[in-house]
Amino acid sequence: MFRQGSSSPLAALFVCILLSSTAIAAPVSFEAAKSLARQQVYHDRTQHGTFYCGCSWDWAGRSGGRVNLRSCGYEIRAQENRAIRIEWEHVVPASLFGQQRLCWQQGGRRNCKETDPIFNQMESDLHNLTPAIGEVNADRSNYRFGLLHETPYQHGRCDFKVDFSERVAQPREEIRGQIARIYFYMHDRYDMRMSEQQQRLMMAWDAQFPPHEWERERNRRIARLMGHENEFVSGNRRWTLGHRNTADGVRSSLPRANAPTPSPALPVLGNSRSKVYHLPTGCPSYGQISATNQVTFVSADEAERAGYRLAGNCR
């Protein structure tokens, strides 16, 4: 009988088969990833807190939100517009994984998005995305994580520090282990280099702060969408100093001979109030559904099986 957390080859094979057969659709663009994260991963987490500060929020639009600053005692440091909105944070910054790709050296992020399917897969990887206050997302920038004992807090009661001159950010204890396991996952899957100093810090956080129940549930939800889990969360994989990367994401992204290049996929959107669904192309009202009424489907067939009908103005 399969036991959760087992690391035997048979158990690993079982997990791979199960996830492959139940995966909905891994996003292939950052925009699609944000929508899926809002609809399928964090849809019921608005009162459980943003990543760095633990503030509650209300959804607004397809993937954004409006932050309740009083819920966590947050004080605006400099950017009011970004402080009141939800943004999707790459825990491992896009510039960090982008700079290890040739496309970035030849034209930056825009060039990577236009020419490198592996970069697009990395940018849209749901395991690396979390909802954060926009101002904190901006202040963290692409700084490395570390400990800042002498640095004062700059965002009210938000337990987050940043040293702009040293380019270091200190997260709250509740998420340090989760950050470590996301770092392990991204570096292992996409064959990235991590400094020995950062490895030692992440290994310490991983040991000190083991996965909590929400981190495990988040991993399960994302696995159903992506087709694979973060094995550093489930315990099926461990990081040791000088870790040898599996590079699973790089190998699985290599194009097959004569295989067409996939185009970014957007979900079919249903309106839970009218029980009407809209396709991403050919349906003029696709982007006009209220966020509170949006339901996502992989295909029109799935929407119709759920009792929805095609919008009358679709061509």
Side-chain angles (χ1 to χ4, degrees), residues 11-206:
L13 178 61
F14 177 84
V15 171
C16 290
I17 294 173
L18 178 63
L19 293 179
S20 298
S21 63
T22 58
I24 297 177
V28 293
S29 73
F30 184 33
E31 291 303 316
K34 291 188 290 184
S35 180
L36 271 180
R38 179 251 191 268
Q39 296 285 348
Q40 304 288 343
V41 182
Y42 287 92
H43 54 281
D44 57 355
R45 300 294 298 180
T46 59
Q47 300 305 309
H48 295 266
T50 54
F51 191 59
Y52 293 118
C53 299
C55 302
S56 62
W57 76 90
D58 295 312
W59 291 115
R62 290 185 59 192
S63 63
R66 187 174 183 85
V67 182
N68 179 355
L69 301 181
R70 292 183 179 180
S71 67
C72 60
Y74 186 91
E75 294 180 8
I76 300 172
R77 186 188 66 81
Q79 303 183 57
E80 181 176 357
N81 288 340
R82 295 189 71 173
I84 61 175
R85 76 187 190 202
I86 286 291
E87 294 180 359
W88 291 96
E89 160 82 325
H90 287 98
V91 179
V92 176
S95 62
L96 177 61
F97 55 73
Q99 287 167 7
Q100 298 193 29
R101 306 291 302 169
L102 181 62
C103 62
W104 193 281
Q105 301 168 26
Q106 296 177 338
R109 187 169 185 167
R110 181 175 179 178
N111 184 54
C112 284
K113 291 171 73 74
E114 293 176 350
T115 64
D116 188 343
I118 294 179
F119 175 85
N120 284 303
Q121 181 178 328
M122 297 166 80
E123 188 186 39
S124 62
D125 194 311
L126 292 168
H127 287 291
N128 190 40
L129 290 178
T130 59
I133 294 175
E135 183 180 48
V136 179
N137 183 23
D139 286 352
R140 186 270 163 121
S141 184
N142 61 354
Y143 299 168
R144 65 181 176 86
F145 288 112
L147 298 176
L148 299 169
H149 300 295
E150 306 301 323
T151 303
Y153 290 100
Q154 303 118 310
H155 306 86
R157 295 203 305 273
C158 172
D159 189 2
F160 173 87
K161 296 180 181 181
V162 60
D163 187 323
F164 295 100
S165 61
E166 295 296 324
R167 299 177 64 83
V168 177
Q170 175 183 296
R172 56 190 176 126
E173 288 189 352
E174 292 88 339
I175 61 172
R176 290 178 188 176
Q178 183 176 353
I179 287 172
R181 288 176 284 276
I182 291 173
Y183 260 66
F184 294 158
Y185 162 83
M186 289 293 290
H187 283 75
D188 176 81
R189 183 169 182 81
Y190 298 108
D191 200 20
M192 297 166 57
R193 301 177 299 277
M194 193 189 313
S195 70
E196 180 176 330
Q197 178 186 17
Q198 195 80 155
Q199 285 186 65
R200 291 186 182 277
L201 177 66
M202 295 300 169
M203 289 168 62
W205 285 359
D206 177 41

